[in-house]
Amino acid sequence: MNKNILLGVTGGVAIYKVVDVVSRLKKLGYNIKIIMTDSACEFVSPMTFETIGKCDVKTKMFHEGSHKIVEHIDLASWADLFLIAPASANTMAKINHGIADNLLTSCALAYDKKIMFCVSMNTNMLNNPATQKNIRELEEKGHIMVSSNSGLLACNVVGDGRLKEPWEIVEEVEKYFCKKDLTGKKILVTAGGTVERIDPVRYIGNDSSGKMGYSIAKKAYMRGAEVTVISAKTSVECPDGVENIKVESADEMQKEISNRIEKFDYLIMAAAVSDFKVANKRDKKIKKSDNFNTLELKENPDILKSLHKNENQIFIGFAAETNNLIENAKKKLSEKNLDYIVLNDVSKSDIGFNSDYNKVTIIGKEDIFEIEKESKLNIADKILDLIK
Ligand SMILES: Cc1cc2nc3c(=O)[nH]c(=O)nc-3n(C[C@H](O)[C@H](O)[C@H](O)COP(=O)(O)O)c2cc1C
């Protein structure tokens, strides 16, 4: 069933970003109702939110028309989440002190779950001891503070107080609703492609972007797990909330994994690890005049084979194959003592390496699961569903 979000909009200049938040939440299928304060209506017309949200926008406690339903009580009990964005200093102060002088603050008083406040204001307003005290006390009452970012503010000051970007706010909402079925689990994920140096400026690498590994890390974190990611070269940022250890080569990755694997329940090896490294690597940049004509390779350690797996641990490997897909993947599963192997066909350009999408086959000791083309985030969820 789709979740109900009651969005409270207050009078802050970052209100324009919240129109985008509404659009994104709508696309994700949430049911939305909106309350705007009088100040919010000075910045943006309710019509904008009504059109983008395709929903009711309430602005008045006392209005023309029927009062048979007590609106602030009805809205508060309808909501699965009360999101306030932007959350002005004024409205946070009122809610912290139980003041209920408009529809939004009355709803807040009648709402018996956690409110999510997306803080947004000028740096001095934010740093004012009164605001800091209100934020602290609201947190102590169990409410969720989506803290602001640092950057250039509308008042031309550079500092704290910028409303988080719309995608970041939506991510907080998604995290709030995410099932927490991996709470207490420790998951080690590898991501990206290893780099094998030829000299200080050249290397052998591969096309892995890190998106699959990072999607798994992000979803595992959202589902309550304690997550560490060991990342080789990636083209995207590591998600928030997870510990990130950066490495370059397969040797470094092996060292970092074996140093800590003992304390993890799961190892998910989504990194593309080079099978070979350069045997005649140079410490100084190779020049044309050096007559360096032949690259000599030697085998890298097989990380999964080198690890001692205890009976309670679950190890998952990835296989990026271009031919004999199932056969090669099954061979890896048994040779490397894995519980599952996730097979992706990297010969197609619209999925796999670098893409936001993938199409995988998950092979277990007894079962095979086909996952049709989906976002890497959705695939991450399905892999985690299998192992939890
Ligand atoms: C141009 C302008 C921008 C403002 N931006 C903010 C802001 O970002 N955050 C904030 O807390 N107050 C901001 N204010 C002040 C609030 O609008 C004011 O405190 C108002 O009383 C808030 O009312 P409300 O909490 O009922 O929406 C701004 C005011 C103006 C005129």
Side-chain angles (χ1 to χ4, degrees), residues 290-350:
D290 288 344
N291 280 327
F292 187 91
N293 296 324
T294 312
L295 210 52
E296 289 165 22
L297 301 179
K298 64 179 170 190
E299 239 180 271
N300 260 328
D302 186 317
I303 299 178
L304 280 164
K305 270 193 194 163
S306 74
L307 299 172
H308 173 72
K309 173 172 176 276
N310 75 42
E311 58 184 24
N312 297 322
Q313 287 179 316
I314 291 184
F315 284 6
I316 297 168
F318 271 67
E321 304 284 354
T322 51
N323 56 314
N324 290 337
L325 310 179
I326 303 266
E327 200 183 308
N328 286 342
K330 277 190 169 167
K331 197 160 156 249
K332 271 194 187 172
L333 183 79
S334 68
E335 278 176 6
K336 300 186 184 210
N337 190 21
L338 295 169
D339 297 278
Y340 293 99
I341 191 150
V342 182
L343 169 66
N344 43 145
D345 181 353
V346 289
S347 64
K348 302 201 169 66
S349 61
D350 61 330

Short mmCIF file of all heavy atoms in Angstrom, two decimals, residues 290-350:
data_model
loop_
_atom_site.label_atom_id
_atom_site.label_comp_id
_atom_site.label_asym_id
_atom_site.label_seq_id
_atom_site.Cartn_x
_atom_site.Cartn_y
_atom_site.Cartn_z
N ASP A 290 62.93 4.74 -23.07
CA ASP A 290 63.23 3.60 -22.17
C ASP A 290 63.09 2.24 -22.86
O ASP A 290 63.42 1.21 -22.28
CB ASP A 290 62.29 3.61 -20.95
CG ASP A 290 62.64 4.72 -19.99
OD1 ASP A 290 63.74 5.28 -20.09
OD2 ASP A 290 61.77 5.05 -19.15
N ASN A 291 62.58 2.24 -24.09
CA ASN A 291 62.37 0.98 -24.82
C ASN A 291 61.57 -0.04 -24.01
O ASN A 291 61.93 -1.21 -23.93
CB ASN A 291 63.70 0.35 -25.23
CG ASN A 291 64.24 1.02 -26.46
OD1 ASN A 291 63.46 1.46 -27.32
ND2 ASN A 291 65.56 1.14 -26.53
N PHE A 292 60.53 0.45 -23.37
CA PHE A 292 59.65 -0.45 -22.57
C PHE A 292 58.62 -1.04 -23.54
O PHE A 292 57.58 -0.46 -23.78
CB PHE A 292 58.99 0.38 -21.47
CG PHE A 292 58.18 -0.42 -20.48
CD1 PHE A 292 58.76 -0.91 -19.32
CD2 PHE A 292 56.83 -0.68 -20.70
CE1 PHE A 292 58.01 -1.62 -18.39
CE2 PHE A 292 56.08 -1.38 -19.78
CZ PHE A 292 56.67 -1.85 -18.62
N ASN A 293 58.96 -2.20 -24.11
CA ASN A 293 58.12 -2.72 -25.19
C ASN A 293 57.15 -3.81 -24.75
O ASN A 293 56.18 -4.10 -25.43
CB ASN A 293 58.99 -3.27 -26.32
CG ASN A 293 59.81 -2.16 -26.93
OD1 ASN A 293 59.32 -1.04 -27.05
ND2 ASN A 293 61.05 -2.44 -27.28
N THR A 294 57.45 -4.45 -23.63
CA THR A 294 56.63 -5.61 -23.25
C THR A 294 56.09 -5.43 -21.84
O THR A 294 56.85 -5.13 -20.91
CB THR A 294 57.47 -6.91 -23.28
OG1 THR A 294 58.16 -6.92 -24.51
CG2 THR A 294 56.62 -8.15 -23.13
N LEU A 295 54.79 -5.61 -21.72
CA LEU A 295 54.15 -5.57 -20.41
C LEU A 295 54.11 -7.00 -19.88
O LEU A 295 53.49 -7.88 -20.47
CB LEU A 295 52.72 -5.05 -20.60
CG LEU A 295 52.05 -4.29 -19.49
CD1 LEU A 295 52.89 -3.15 -18.99
CD2 LEU A 295 50.69 -3.80 -19.96
N GLU A 296 54.82 -7.25 -18.79
CA GLU A 296 54.80 -8.62 -18.22
C GLU A 296 53.75 -8.66 -17.12
O GLU A 296 53.72 -7.79 -16.26
CB GLU A 296 56.17 -8.97 -17.66
CG GLU A 296 57.21 -9.18 -18.73
CD GLU A 296 58.62 -9.17 -18.16
OE1 GLU A 296 58.77 -9.41 -16.94
OE2 GLU A 296 59.54 -8.88 -18.93
N LEU A 297 52.92 -9.68 -17.17
CA LEU A 297 51.83 -9.78 -16.19
C LEU A 297 52.04 -10.96 -15.26
O LEU A 297 52.64 -11.96 -15.66
CB LEU A 297 50.49 -9.94 -16.91
CG LEU A 297 50.08 -8.83 -17.87
CD1 LEU A 297 48.74 -9.16 -18.51
CD2 LEU A 297 49.99 -7.49 -17.15
N LYS A 298 51.58 -10.83 -14.04
CA LYS A 298 51.50 -12.01 -13.18
C LYS A 298 50.13 -12.04 -12.51
O LYS A 298 49.47 -10.99 -12.38
CB LYS A 298 52.64 -12.07 -12.18
CG LYS A 298 52.70 -10.96 -11.17
CD LYS A 298 53.88 -11.20 -10.25
CE LYS A 298 54.12 -9.99 -9.38
NZ LYS A 298 55.32 -9.99 -8.62
N GLU A 299 49.73 -13.21 -12.08
CA GLU A 299 48.37 -13.36 -11.55
C GLU A 299 48.20 -12.64 -10.22
O GLU A 299 49.10 -12.67 -9.37
CB GLU A 299 48.06 -14.84 -11.37
CG GLU A 299 46.86 -15.26 -12.19
CD GLU A 299 46.54 -16.71 -12.02
OE1 GLU A 299 47.07 -17.53 -12.78
OE2 GLU A 299 45.74 -17.01 -11.12
N ASN A 300 47.05 -12.01 -10.05
CA ASN A 300 46.70 -11.42 -8.76
C ASN A 300 46.20 -12.52 -7.83
O ASN A 300 45.77 -13.58 -8.30
CB ASN A 300 45.59 -10.40 -8.96
CG ASN A 300 46.12 -8.98 -8.99
OD1 ASN A 300 47.10 -8.67 -8.33
ND2 ASN A 300 45.48 -8.15 -9.78
N PRO A 301 46.22 -12.26 -6.51
CA PRO A 301 45.63 -13.26 -5.61
C PRO A 301 44.15 -13.42 -5.90
O PRO A 301 43.49 -12.43 -6.29
CB PRO A 301 45.84 -12.65 -4.23
CG PRO A 301 46.01 -11.18 -4.48
CD PRO A 301 46.65 -11.05 -5.82
N ASP A 302 43.61 -14.60 -5.71
CA ASP A 302 42.16 -14.78 -5.80
C ASP A 302 41.61 -14.47 -4.41
O ASP A 302 41.76 -15.26 -3.47
CB ASP A 302 41.82 -16.21 -6.22
CG ASP A 302 40.34 -16.36 -6.45
OD1 ASP A 302 39.55 -15.85 -5.63
OD2 ASP A 302 39.95 -16.98 -7.45
N ILE A 303 41.01 -13.28 -4.27
CA ILE A 303 40.65 -12.80 -2.92
C ILE A 303 39.69 -13.76 -2.23
O ILE A 303 39.90 -14.16 -1.09
CB ILE A 303 40.05 -11.37 -2.99
CG1 ILE A 303 41.09 -10.41 -3.57
CG2 ILE A 303 39.59 -10.91 -1.61
CD1 ILE A 303 40.62 -8.97 -3.73
N LEU A 304 38.63 -14.15 -2.93
CA LEU A 304 37.62 -15.00 -2.28
C LEU A 304 38.22 -16.35 -1.85
O LEU A 304 37.96 -16.82 -0.75
CB LEU A 304 36.43 -15.21 -3.20
CG LEU A 304 35.45 -14.04 -3.21
CD1 LEU A 304 34.50 -14.11 -4.41
CD2 LEU A 304 34.65 -13.97 -1.91
N LYS A 305 39.06 -16.92 -2.71
CA LYS A 305 39.67 -18.22 -2.36
C LYS A 305 40.62 -18.09 -1.18
O LYS A 305 40.81 -19.03 -0.42
CB LYS A 305 40.44 -18.76 -3.56
CG LYS A 305 39.62 -19.63 -4.50
CD LYS A 305 40.55 -20.35 -5.45
CE LYS A 305 39.78 -20.95 -6.60
NZ LYS A 305 40.66 -21.30 -7.72
N SER A 306 41.20 -16.90 -1.02
CA SER A 306 42.22 -16.73 0.03
C SER A 306 41.61 -16.53 1.42
O SER A 306 42.31 -16.57 2.42
CB SER A 306 43.11 -15.54 -0.30
OG SER A 306 42.39 -14.33 -0.07
N LEU A 307 40.29 -16.30 1.49
CA LEU A 307 39.68 -15.99 2.79
C LEU A 307 39.22 -17.23 3.52
O LEU A 307 38.74 -18.18 2.90
CB LEU A 307 38.47 -15.06 2.59
CG LEU A 307 38.76 -13.70 1.94
CD1 LEU A 307 37.45 -12.99 1.63
CD2 LEU A 307 39.63 -12.84 2.86
N HIS A 308 39.35 -17.18 4.84
CA HIS A 308 38.79 -18.28 5.63
C HIS A 308 37.36 -17.88 6.01
O HIS A 308 37.15 -16.90 6.71
CB HIS A 308 39.65 -18.52 6.88
CG HIS A 308 39.02 -19.52 7.79
ND1 HIS A 308 38.97 -20.85 7.48
CD2 HIS A 308 38.35 -19.36 8.96
CE1 HIS A 308 38.30 -21.48 8.44
NE2 HIS A 308 37.92 -20.60 9.34
N LYS A 309 36.38 -18.67 5.54
CA LYS A 309 34.98 -18.31 5.77
C LYS A 309 34.45 -19.17 6.91
O LYS A 309 34.55 -20.40 6.85
CB LYS A 309 34.22 -18.62 4.47
CG LYS A 309 32.73 -18.48 4.50
CD LYS A 309 32.24 -18.62 3.06
CE LYS A 309 30.75 -18.62 2.93
NZ LYS A 309 30.10 -19.89 3.15
N ASN A 310 33.92 -18.51 7.96
CA ASN A 310 33.36 -19.35 9.03
C ASN A 310 31.92 -19.76 8.70
O ASN A 310 31.30 -19.17 7.81
CB ASN A 310 33.54 -18.70 10.41
CG ASN A 310 32.58 -17.56 10.65
OD1 ASN A 310 31.41 -17.66 10.31
ND2 ASN A 310 33.08 -16.47 11.22
N GLU A 311 31.41 -20.72 9.45
CA GLU A 311 30.13 -21.34 9.04
C GLU A 311 28.93 -20.41 9.08
O GLU A 311 27.93 -20.63 8.40
CB GLU A 311 29.85 -22.60 9.87
CG GLU A 311 29.81 -22.31 11.35
CD GLU A 311 29.64 -23.57 12.18
OE1 GLU A 311 29.99 -24.65 11.69
OE2 GLU A 311 29.14 -23.45 13.32
N ASN A 312 29.04 -19.31 9.87
CA ASN A 312 27.90 -18.39 9.93
C ASN A 312 27.96 -17.27 8.89
O ASN A 312 27.03 -16.49 8.76
CB ASN A 312 27.84 -17.74 11.33
CG ASN A 312 27.61 -18.78 12.39
OD1 ASN A 312 26.86 -19.73 12.16
ND2 ASN A 312 28.29 -18.65 13.51
N GLN A 313 29.07 -17.20 8.21
CA GLN A 313 29.21 -16.10 7.24
C GLN A 313 28.61 -16.47 5.89
O GLN A 313 28.60 -17.64 5.51
CB GLN A 313 30.69 -15.76 7.04
CG GLN A 313 31.29 -15.04 8.24
CD GLN A 313 32.76 -14.74 8.03
OE1 GLN A 313 33.52 -15.59 7.57
NE2 GLN A 313 33.18 -13.54 8.41
N ILE A 314 28.11 -15.43 5.21
CA ILE A 314 27.59 -15.62 3.85
C ILE A 314 28.42 -14.78 2.90
O ILE A 314 28.61 -13.57 3.13
CB ILE A 314 26.09 -15.25 3.79
CG1 ILE A 314 25.30 -16.29 4.59
CG2 ILE A 314 25.60 -15.17 2.35
CD1 ILE A 314 23.82 -16.13 4.57
N PHE A 315 28.96 -15.43 1.89
CA PHE A 315 29.78 -14.73 0.89
C PHE A 315 29.07 -14.74 -0.45
O PHE A 315 28.57 -15.78 -0.89
CB PHE A 315 31.14 -15.43 0.71
CG PHE A 315 32.14 -15.18 1.84
CD1 PHE A 315 31.77 -14.49 2.99
CD2 PHE A 315 33.45 -15.63 1.71
CE1 PHE A 315 32.69 -14.27 4.02
CE2 PHE A 315 34.37 -15.41 2.74
CZ PHE A 315 34.00 -14.74 3.89
N ILE A 316 29.05 -13.57 -1.07
CA ILE A 316 28.42 -13.45 -2.39
C ILE A 316 29.43 -12.86 -3.37
O ILE A 316 30.05 -11.84 -3.07
CB ILE A 316 27.19 -12.52 -2.31
CG1 ILE A 316 26.17 -13.15 -1.37
CG2 ILE A 316 26.58 -12.30 -3.68
CD1 ILE A 316 25.08 -12.23 -1.00
N GLY A 317 29.59 -13.52 -4.49
CA GLY A 317 30.51 -13.02 -5.50
C GLY A 317 29.73 -12.51 -6.70
O GLY A 317 28.53 -12.77 -6.85
N PHE A 318 30.39 -11.75 -7.53
CA PHE A 318 29.80 -11.29 -8.78
C PHE A 318 30.63 -11.88 -9.92
O PHE A 318 31.84 -12.01 -9.80
CB PHE A 318 29.84 -9.76 -8.88
CG PHE A 318 28.63 -9.10 -8.28
CD1 PHE A 318 28.40 -9.16 -6.92
CD2 PHE A 318 27.72 -8.43 -9.09
CE1 PHE A 318 27.27 -8.56 -6.36
CE2 PHE A 318 26.60 -7.82 -8.54
CZ PHE A 318 26.38 -7.88 -7.18
N ALA A 319 29.95 -12.23 -10.98
CA ALA A 319 30.68 -12.73 -12.14
C ALA A 319 30.28 -11.87 -13.33
O ALA A 319 29.09 -11.77 -13.66
CB ALA A 319 30.33 -14.18 -12.39
N ALA A 320 31.26 -11.20 -13.92
CA ALA A 320 30.99 -10.42 -15.13
C ALA A 320 31.48 -11.26 -16.30
O ALA A 320 32.68 -11.38 -16.52
CB ALA A 320 31.73 -9.10 -15.06
N GLU A 321 30.55 -11.89 -16.98
CA GLU A 321 30.94 -12.80 -18.06
C GLU A 321 30.42 -12.28 -19.39
O GLU A 321 29.45 -11.52 -19.45
CB GLU A 321 30.32 -14.19 -17.81
CG GLU A 321 30.66 -14.82 -16.46
CD GLU A 321 32.06 -15.39 -16.39
OE1 GLU A 321 32.75 -15.41 -17.43
OE2 GLU A 321 32.48 -15.79 -15.29
N THR A 322 31.04 -12.74 -20.45
CA THR A 322 30.54 -12.38 -21.79
C THR A 322 30.12 -13.62 -22.57
O THR A 322 29.45 -13.53 -23.58
CB THR A 322 31.62 -11.63 -22.60
OG1 THR A 322 32.82 -12.39 -22.56
CG2 THR A 322 31.87 -10.24 -22.05
N ASN A 323 30.54 -14.81 -22.12
CA ASN A 323 30.12 -16.04 -22.81
C ASN A 323 30.03 -17.20 -21.80
O ASN A 323 30.57 -17.09 -20.70
CB ASN A 323 31.09 -16.38 -23.96
CG ASN A 323 32.51 -16.50 -23.47
OD1 ASN A 323 32.99 -15.66 -22.72
ND2 ASN A 323 33.19 -17.54 -23.88
N ASN A 324 29.34 -18.25 -22.19
CA ASN A 324 29.11 -19.41 -21.30
C ASN A 324 28.71 -18.97 -19.90
O ASN A 324 29.28 -19.41 -18.89
CB ASN A 324 30.38 -20.29 -21.18
CG ASN A 324 30.66 -21.00 -22.46
OD1 ASN A 324 29.76 -21.19 -23.27
ND2 ASN A 324 31.91 -21.38 -22.65
N LEU A 325 27.73 -18.08 -19.86
CA LEU A 325 27.45 -17.36 -18.62
C LEU A 325 27.18 -18.27 -17.42
O LEU A 325 27.89 -18.22 -16.41
CB LEU A 325 26.27 -16.40 -18.83
CG LEU A 325 26.34 -15.47 -20.04
CD1 LEU A 325 25.11 -14.60 -20.12
CD2 LEU A 325 27.56 -14.58 -19.95
N ILE A 326 26.13 -19.07 -17.51
CA ILE A 326 25.71 -19.88 -16.35
C ILE A 326 26.80 -20.88 -15.97
O ILE A 326 27.14 -21.03 -14.79
CB ILE A 326 24.37 -20.61 -16.65
CG1 ILE A 326 23.30 -19.60 -17.04
CG2 ILE A 326 23.96 -21.52 -15.50
CD1 ILE A 326 22.41 -19.09 -15.97
N GLU A 327 27.35 -21.52 -16.98
CA GLU A 327 28.36 -22.55 -16.74
C GLU A 327 29.57 -21.96 -15.99
O GLU A 327 30.02 -22.50 -14.98
CB GLU A 327 28.81 -23.07 -18.12
CG GLU A 327 29.46 -24.43 -18.10
CD GLU A 327 29.91 -24.75 -19.52
OE1 GLU A 327 29.06 -24.65 -20.45
OE2 GLU A 327 31.08 -25.06 -19.70
N ASN A 328 30.07 -20.80 -16.46
CA ASN A 328 31.23 -20.17 -15.81
C ASN A 328 30.88 -19.72 -14.39
O ASN A 328 31.70 -19.83 -13.48
CB ASN A 328 31.71 -18.95 -16.61
CG ASN A 328 32.44 -19.37 -17.86
OD1 ASN A 328 32.88 -20.51 -17.97
ND2 ASN A 328 32.54 -18.48 -18.83
N ALA A 329 29.67 -19.21 -14.23
CA ALA A 329 29.27 -18.71 -12.90
C ALA A 329 29.17 -19.86 -11.90
O ALA A 329 29.60 -19.74 -10.75
CB ALA A 329 27.95 -17.97 -13.01
N LYS A 330 28.61 -21.00 -12.35
CA LYS A 330 28.46 -22.15 -11.44
C LYS A 330 29.83 -22.68 -11.02
O LYS A 330 30.02 -23.11 -9.88
CB LYS A 330 27.67 -23.26 -12.14
CG LYS A 330 26.17 -23.05 -12.05
CD LYS A 330 25.43 -24.26 -12.53
CE LYS A 330 23.97 -24.16 -12.18
NZ LYS A 330 23.17 -25.15 -12.87
N LYS A 331 30.76 -22.63 -11.95
CA LYS A 331 32.13 -23.09 -11.66
C LYS A 331 32.73 -22.20 -10.55
O LYS A 331 33.29 -22.70 -9.58
CB LYS A 331 32.97 -22.99 -12.95
CG LYS A 331 34.23 -23.78 -12.92
CD LYS A 331 34.72 -24.03 -14.36
CE LYS A 331 36.21 -24.27 -14.34
NZ LYS A 331 37.01 -23.24 -14.92
N LYS A 332 32.54 -20.90 -10.70
CA LYS A 332 33.07 -19.96 -9.69
C LYS A 332 32.44 -20.21 -8.32
O LYS A 332 33.10 -20.14 -7.30
CB LYS A 332 32.77 -18.51 -10.10
CG LYS A 332 33.85 -17.89 -10.96
CD LYS A 332 33.64 -16.38 -11.02
CE LYS A 332 34.61 -15.75 -11.99
NZ LYS A 332 34.32 -14.34 -12.23
N LEU A 333 31.11 -20.45 -8.33
CA LEU A 333 30.37 -20.66 -7.08
C LEU A 333 31.01 -21.77 -6.26
O LEU A 333 31.26 -21.63 -5.07
CB LEU A 333 28.91 -21.00 -7.40
CG LEU A 333 27.98 -21.17 -6.22
CD1 LEU A 333 27.55 -19.81 -5.69
CD2 LEU A 333 26.73 -21.96 -6.61
N SER A 334 31.30 -22.91 -6.93
CA SER A 334 31.84 -24.02 -6.15
C SER A 334 33.33 -23.84 -5.87
O SER A 334 33.79 -24.09 -4.76
CB SER A 334 31.54 -25.36 -6.83
OG SER A 334 32.27 -25.44 -8.02
N GLU A 335 34.09 -23.34 -6.83
CA GLU A 335 35.54 -23.17 -6.61
C GLU A 335 35.85 -22.21 -5.48
O GLU A 335 36.81 -22.36 -4.76
CB GLU A 335 36.19 -22.61 -7.88
CG GLU A 335 36.49 -23.67 -8.91
CD GLU A 335 37.05 -23.03 -10.20
OE1 GLU A 335 37.31 -21.80 -10.23
OE2 GLU A 335 37.21 -23.77 -11.15
N LYS A 336 34.98 -21.18 -5.34
CA LYS A 336 35.28 -20.12 -4.36
C LYS A 336 34.47 -20.27 -3.09
O LYS A 336 34.46 -19.36 -2.25
CB LYS A 336 35.05 -18.75 -4.99
CG LYS A 336 35.93 -18.53 -6.21
CD LYS A 336 35.82 -17.13 -6.73
CE LYS A 336 36.65 -17.02 -8.00
NZ LYS A 336 37.17 -15.71 -8.23
N ASN A 337 33.76 -21.38 -2.94
CA ASN A 337 32.98 -21.64 -1.73
C ASN A 337 32.01 -20.49 -1.41
O ASN A 337 31.92 -20.01 -0.29
CB ASN A 337 33.93 -21.91 -0.55
CG ASN A 337 33.20 -22.43 0.66
OD1 ASN A 337 32.08 -22.95 0.53
ND2 ASN A 337 33.79 -22.27 1.83
N LEU A 338 31.28 -20.05 -2.47
CA LEU A 338 30.34 -18.95 -2.29
C LEU A 338 28.94 -19.47 -1.98
O LEU A 338 28.60 -20.60 -2.35
CB LEU A 338 30.28 -18.12 -3.57
CG LEU A 338 31.55 -17.38 -3.97
CD1 LEU A 338 31.43 -16.82 -5.37
CD2 LEU A 338 31.82 -16.26 -2.97
N ASP A 339 28.13 -18.60 -1.34
CA ASP A 339 26.74 -18.97 -1.11
C ASP A 339 25.89 -18.58 -2.31
O ASP A 339 24.93 -19.27 -2.65
CB ASP A 339 26.24 -18.28 0.15
CG ASP A 339 27.02 -18.76 1.35
OD1 ASP A 339 26.68 -19.82 1.86
OD2 ASP A 339 28.02 -18.11 1.73
N TYR A 340 26.22 -17.44 -2.90
CA TYR A 340 25.52 -17.01 -4.11
C TYR A 340 26.52 -16.36 -5.05
O TYR A 340 27.52 -15.78 -4.60
CB TYR A 340 24.44 -15.96 -3.80
CG TYR A 340 23.28 -16.50 -3.00
CD1 TYR A 340 23.23 -16.31 -1.62
CD2 TYR A 340 22.25 -17.20 -3.62
CE1 TYR A 340 22.17 -16.81 -0.87
CE2 TYR A 340 21.18 -17.70 -2.88
CZ TYR A 340 21.16 -17.50 -1.51
OH TYR A 340 20.12 -17.99 -0.78
N ILE A 341 26.21 -16.44 -6.31
CA ILE A 341 26.99 -15.67 -7.27
C ILE A 341 26.01 -14.89 -8.14
O ILE A 341 24.97 -15.41 -8.55
CB ILE A 341 27.94 -16.57 -8.08
CG1 ILE A 341 28.93 -15.73 -8.87
CG2 ILE A 341 27.22 -17.54 -9.00
CD1 ILE A 341 30.25 -16.41 -9.10
N VAL A 342 26.31 -13.61 -8.32
CA VAL A 342 25.43 -12.75 -9.11
C VAL A 342 26.07 -12.59 -10.48
O VAL A 342 27.18 -12.05 -10.60
CB VAL A 342 25.23 -11.38 -8.44
CG1 VAL A 342 24.26 -10.52 -9.26
CG2 VAL A 342 24.74 -11.54 -7.01
N LEU A 343 25.37 -13.06 -11.47
CA LEU A 343 25.94 -13.10 -12.80
C LEU A 343 25.40 -11.95 -13.63
O LEU A 343 24.19 -11.77 -13.75
CB LEU A 343 25.54 -14.44 -13.42
CG LEU A 343 25.77 -14.65 -14.90
CD1 LEU A 343 27.25 -14.66 -15.20
CD2 LEU A 343 25.15 -15.96 -15.33
N ASN A 344 26.30 -11.09 -14.15
CA ASN A 344 25.79 -10.09 -15.10
C ASN A 344 26.54 -10.19 -16.41
O ASN A 344 27.73 -10.40 -16.47
CB ASN A 344 25.72 -8.67 -14.58
CG ASN A 344 26.90 -8.18 -13.78
OD1 ASN A 344 27.26 -7.05 -13.85
ND2 ASN A 344 27.53 -9.02 -12.99
N ASP A 345 25.74 -10.00 -17.47
CA ASP A 345 26.27 -10.08 -18.82
C ASP A 345 26.82 -8.71 -19.18
O ASP A 345 26.07 -7.76 -19.38
CB ASP A 345 25.11 -10.48 -19.76
CG ASP A 345 25.58 -10.62 -21.20
OD1 ASP A 345 26.74 -10.29 -21.49
OD2 ASP A 345 24.76 -11.08 -22.02
N VAL A 346 28.15 -8.60 -19.24
CA VAL A 346 28.74 -7.27 -19.50
C VAL A 346 28.97 -7.01 -20.99
O VAL A 346 29.63 -6.06 -21.37
CB VAL A 346 30.07 -7.08 -18.71
CG1 VAL A 346 29.79 -6.93 -17.24
CG2 VAL A 346 31.05 -8.22 -18.97
N SER A 347 28.39 -7.87 -21.82
CA SER A 347 28.58 -7.65 -23.26
C SER A 347 27.54 -6.67 -23.81
O SER A 347 27.63 -6.23 -24.94
CB SER A 347 28.49 -8.98 -24.02
OG SER A 347 27.20 -9.51 -23.88
N LYS A 348 26.53 -6.29 -22.95
CA LYS A 348 25.48 -5.38 -23.44
C LYS A 348 25.72 -3.99 -22.88
O LYS A 348 26.03 -3.83 -21.71
CB LYS A 348 24.11 -5.90 -22.98
CG LYS A 348 23.83 -7.31 -23.48
CD LYS A 348 22.34 -7.61 -23.49
CE LYS A 348 22.02 -8.89 -24.21
NZ LYS A 348 22.55 -10.08 -23.52
N SER A 349 25.55 -2.94 -23.73
CA SER A 349 25.92 -1.60 -23.28
C SER A 349 24.85 -0.93 -22.44
O SER A 349 25.13 0.02 -21.70
CB SER A 349 26.25 -0.72 -24.49
OG SER A 349 25.10 -0.63 -25.29
N ASP A 350 23.58 -1.39 -22.50
CA ASP A 350 22.52 -0.70 -21.74
C ASP A 350 22.39 -1.23 -20.31
O ASP A 350 21.58 -0.74 -19.53
CB ASP A 350 21.16 -0.82 -22.48
CG ASP A 350 20.72 -2.27 -22.64
OD1 ASP A 350 21.59 -3.15 -22.73
OD2 ASP A 350 19.50 -2.51 -22.63
#
